[in-house]
Amino acid sequence: MNSNIVIGIIAVILCALPFIGVETYSLHLIIVILIWAFAYTGWSIMGRFGLVSLGHGAFMSIGGYVTALLWNNIGLSPWIGIPVSLLVSGLLAIVIGYPCFRYKIVGHYFALVTLALSEVVRQVIIATRDTTGGSLGYTPERHGEGISIVALQFSNDRIYFYYVALFVWMAGIMIWRYVDQSMSRYALEAISEDEDASAAVGVQVTREKLKVTVLSAVMTTFAGAMYCQYQMFISPDTIGGVGVSLQIVFAVVVGGIYNALGPTVGAVITIMLAEVLRISIGTASVCVSKDVCFNAAGVPLLIYGILLIVFIIFLPKGIVGGVADWWKSRSADPPDAAGSTQLEPAKAKTG
Amino acid sequence: MLAVQGLTKKFGGFTAVDNVDFSVEKGEIVGLIGPNGSGKSTIFNMLSGNLPPNAGSIKLQGREIAGLAPNVICGIGVGRTFQIPRPFKRLSILENAALAGFYGHGGSGISKSQAWRNAEEALSLVGLPTDAKASVDTLGAAGLKKLELAKALATKPNLLLADESLGGLDHSEMDQAAEMLGSIRNELGITIIWVEHIMGVLMKVVDRVMVLDHGEKISEGKPHEVAADKKVIEVYLGTDAEETAAAAVRA
Ligand SMILES: Nc1ncnc2c1ncn2[C@@H]1O[C@H](COP(=O)(O)OP(=O)(O)O)[C@@H](O)[C@H]1O
Ligand SMILES: [Mg+2]
């Protein structure tokens, strides 16, 4: 089955969803999933090429905080505030990315640099608590009653925001696929294997990496702004920090990093998991014996950690990748005597 | 076409290439030989921009290219192969060549379909299959050498730097590869510098040979002159003296 068809079917179902009567709570969950799915899709656009960023919580926070701060303090509409936040993130991505790429900071070292970025942005928010509310969080001011187009606020009628989120999510999938079918994808695959050999065939290594990094950062920033406009509340730990950055990686690895729908499946799983855990254990302490208790807030992270290890070992392409492989092997013709691709026997080592 | 002067590369205190001068005329096919570790690949790395020289000048058609980025040098018409093939394993054979076909022209508006045509052309030239799916993993040593060459050719170079295209090949494959380099020059008019550590078949194809030892150029001339040069025989003595002598006879 063609992945276009799968995506088409899903899109049609999602568009029709409000009309077949979904209760408000489910619709709320779906909106949250769509927003996060868009953020994860943005992350995987660079993550799939071995550019593992642990800094995307920072970009997400910028989307939320820049937009809300501009609205509350100088009354700048999110219609302008969001583009400003995207610009800020894009510039930050260049400021962090350029030296990393220019001086070949790759792999673990790149992950560490971006990890620091997550924490720096969180600390900045906390340090400026007089303006940002610090770790207690921040709320964009309501603009009158009901729906406000100027303030991009949609009151309690979730249907409107549902369609906004759905549209943005679909745009995210299209961007993913656009990159997937572009020449940049080949360049980035090659770069992830061998930067010098890529440069030797003319690839502008630094530029290609920067392009995809900025795109990824900007998408995640947009998700942060959406989250803020929808929840009307943000805090450094709900849309930023190391926790969110790790959650993004976890979700994409579980869902499938090499497929357009992988990050979305990852979002479904992480959001559901978080929701189930929240309802079942709440914020109480979990006691494993009479005197060994721990804060339940750490439970999701613990479970993420365990699942992450299990997936990396047993299903490195994630759920969607695993299913796609299974489908291919199931529907593939019986191997035609290996004749078509076998060119010459592998022999004689190279000098 | 290419004029190199005082080219020097040091790794720490060790001088891998020491004040080397040479030039290459358009349409020539020049052999660069020397024992292992004599600095041949290091010269290539400086010509292609993969390593910056410590001193010296490299003029390509009058333009100074020493120290430019490899993608820039590739864009102005220098293609190279690596001694140890460096294919992109996550791409198919065709995609490997198409990548070079797309980016190898200084980023100047090549269409995707043109890139694929360049790739197919380059692959047929070296005798590799052009079907879209064939994986790099199906290639043996000879196939990987060919792919290196195809990648370089897909960038449409004026000057081709071929590093040990014969390494790891058996005799018939060597003859084939040598013939291929000859026809690349004859039919496409691409100027070639060809590095090899054994003389062997190289001597039959090249117009001129330069010999490198410990980073210094010790001899240069027509193949039969160089093969008879005392200094060259000394360097090669005990390594493959018979091969050298045989080459001298053949040349
Ligand atoms: N990147 C490097 N760092 C340190 N030493 C190097 C490096 N590249 C090459 N060398 C040294 O420089 C000398 C010349 O190497 P090379 O140019 O690869 O020789 P050849 O290609 O003629 O066999 C060798 O002694 C090698 O060990
Ligand atoms: Mg070498």
Side-chain angles (χ1 to χ4, degrees):
Chain A
M1 186 155 47
N2 192 313
S3 64
N4 280 322
I5 302 175
V6 178
I7 291 173
I9 292 172
I10 292 173
V12 168
I13 293 174
L14 285 172
C15 283
L17 212 55
F19 299 104
I20 46 182
V22 220
E23 44 170 336
T24 312
Y25 172 68
S26 305
L27 201 60
H28 162 70
L29 268 191
I30 294 171
I31 293 171
V32 172
I33 287 171
L34 288 172
I35 294 172
W36 283 103
F38 179 75
Y40 299 164
T41 304
W43 183 88
S44 77
I45 273 183
M46 67 187 284
R48 63 179 294 207
F49 300 115
L51 291 165
V52 175
S53 161
L54 298 178
H56 271 45
F59 296 123
M60 211 156 165
S61 317
I62 288 172
Y65 277 94
V66 169
T67 306
L69 285 166
L70 288 176
W71 170 245
N72 285 5
N73 292 309
I74 60 171
L76 197 64
S77 159
W79 285 101
I80 300 167
I82 292 175
V84 171
S85 74
L86 301 184
L87 199 68
V88 170
S89 269
L91 289 176
L92 183 62
I94 292 173
V95 167
I96 302 293
Y98 182 78
C100 281
F101 302 149
R102 178 75 181 70
Y103 296 103
K104 301 199 172 151
I105 294 171
V106 295
H108 304 57
Y109 298 100
F110 180 69
L112 283 176
V113 169
T114 54
L115 183 72
L117 175 67
S118 276
E119 193 51 20
V120 166
V121 169
R122 199 182 81 97
Q123 291 297 340
V124 167
I125 293 168
I126 290 172
T128 54
R129 64 176 64 78
D130 294 341
T131 323
T132 62
S135 51
L136 293 176
Y138 195 66
T139 307
E141 275 157 26
R142 284 266 172 211
H143 187 248
E145 296 292 306
I147 295 171
S148 163
I149 295 297
V150 174
L152 275 177
Q153 292 172 1
F154 295 86
S155 79
N156 290 325
D157 196 348
R158 298 186 193 277
I159 284 207
Y160 298 100
F161 208 94
Y162 172 75
Y163 280 109
V164 172
L166 184 59
F167 175 77
V168 169
W169 171 77
M170 284 202 267
I173 302 290
M174 310 246 273
I175 295 170
W176 197 99
R177 293 170 64 95
Y178 172 77
V179 173
D180 188 53
Q181 282 153 20
S182 70
M183 276 317 288
S184 284
R185 175 196 148 198
Y186 296 110
L188 288 160
E189 300 261 27
I191 289 168
S192 75
E193 279 190 66
D194 189 335
E195 293 198 357
D196 289 338
S198 308
V201 294
V203 175
Q204 291 180 268
V205 174
T206 302
R207 198 183 129 153
E208 290 297 329
K209 287 170 111 175
L210 263 187
K211 264 173 22 188
V212 79
T213 302
V214 168
L215 175 61
S216 172
V218 163
M219 285 175 75
T220 308
T221 305
F222 194 76
M226 285 226 303
Y227 182 97
C228 172
Q229 294 302 120
Y230 176 65
Q231 300 283 34
M232 296 296 282
F233 173 76
I234 47 179
S235 80
D237 293 315
T238 50
I239 60 165
V242 176
V244 165
S245 298
L246 289 177
Q247 177 206 327
I248 294 175
V249 180
F250 161 77
V252 175
V253 169
V254 167
I257 196 167
Y258 302 114
N259 299 79
L261 288 179
T264 300
V265 170
V268 173
I269 289 168
T270 41
I271 306 302
M272 300 296 255
L273 186 66
E275 205 55 16
V276 167
L277 291 172
R278 187 180 64 80
I279 292 166
S280 58
I281 49 182
T283 51
S285 294
V286 176
C287 295
V288 288
S289 79
K290 203 162 71 88
D291 22 50
V292 183
C293 291
F294 53 92
N295 189 331
V299 171
L301 271 182
L302 183 70
I303 294 178
Y304 288 170
I306 293 169
L307 279 178
L308 191 59
I309 293 168
V310 170
F311 267 85
I312 287 175
I313 295 174
F314 295 106
L315 202 57
K317 288 182 179 173
I319 291 171
V320 178
V323 169
D325 279 356
W326 169 80
W327 186 273
K328 253 187 235 151
S329 70
R330 212 198 58 137
S331 57
D333 305 333
D336 55 349
S340 57
T341 52
Q342 198 73 23
L343 298 169
E344 46 194 279
K347 61 166 164 90
K349 60 178 178 22
T350 51
Chain B
M1 141 162 248
L2 183 74
V4 172
Q5 259 175 7
L7 194 61
T8 302
K9 182 71 197 178
K10 297 193 170 108
F11 295 112
F14 170 73
T15 307
V17 175
D18 193 1
N19 202 15
V20 169
D21 302 332
F22 66 90
S23 63
V24 177
E25 299 305 319
K26 189 165 165 35
E28 250 190 323
I29 174 161
V30 178
L32 176 58
I33 63 171
N36 270 325
S38 56
K40 306 180 297 292
S41 296
T42 304
I43 288 183
F44 267 18
N45 283 333
M46 289 187 282
L47 295 182
S48 69
N50 290 86
L51 279 177
N54 291 100
S57 127
I58 305 169
K59 284 214 164 78
L60 181 73
Q61 284 158 336
R63 175 175 173 187
E64 182 62 54
I65 61 165
L68 293 183
N71 56 286
V72 176
I73 292 178
C74 173
I76 55 184
V78 180
R80 73 162 296 174
T81 71
F82 286 98
Q83 179 174 353
I84 296 165
R86 289 160 83 163
F88 306 115
K89 295 213 176 72
R90 293 167 69 175
L91 305 179
S92 71
I93 294 171
L94 181 61
E95 288 164 350
N96 264 273
L99 181 75
F102 187 79
Y103 286 97
H105 312 269
S108 55
I110 276 237
S111 74
K112 230 169 135 174
S113 56
Q114 180 64 47
W116 252 259
R117 271 199 300 279
N118 290 348
E120 282 169 3
E121 239 170 65
L123 287 173
S124 356
L125 214 63
V126 301
L128 282 178
T130 53
D131 67 294
K133 291 237 163 61
S135 150
V136 171
D137 296 329
T138 59
L139 296 175
L144 289 172
K145 292 277 182 194
K146 288 179 183 170
L147 180 56
E148 274 299 302
L149 207 52
K151 276 161 60 187
L153 290 174
T155 68
K156 301 255 160 166
N158 305 317
L159 173 66
L160 173 67
L161 311 173
D163 198 351
E164 308 232 352
S165 294
L166 306 183
L169 305 187
D170 65 27
H171 271 287
S172 71
E173 288 168 339
M174 277 192 197
D175 287 335
Q176 226 189 345
E179 207 174 294
M180 192 184 297
L181 283 176
S183 67
I184 286 169
R185 191 273 307 261
N186 296 338
E187 279 152 41
L188 304 179
I190 297 174
T191 310
I192 300 177
I193 307 178
W194 176 8
V195 156
E196 210 67 53
H197 77 274
I198 50 168
M199 293 191 184
V201 275
L202 176 139
M203 297 300 240
K204 288 192 283 187
V205 179
V206 298
D207 301 324
R208 196 153 58 88
V209 191
M210 301 181 285
V211 187
L212 217 58
D213 186 37
H214 296 295
E216 288 177 57
K217 191 170 85 176
I218 57 163
S219 182
E220 179 172 6
K222 296 249 181 285
H224 64 271
E225 297 165 4
V226 167
D229 186 333
K230 265 221 186 74
K231 276 192 278 184
V232 177
I233 293 171
E234 222 164 84
V235 162
Y236 273 89
L237 213 63
T239 55
D240 52 2
E242 304 92 83
E243 189 83 39
T244 310
V249 170
R250 279 198 299 264

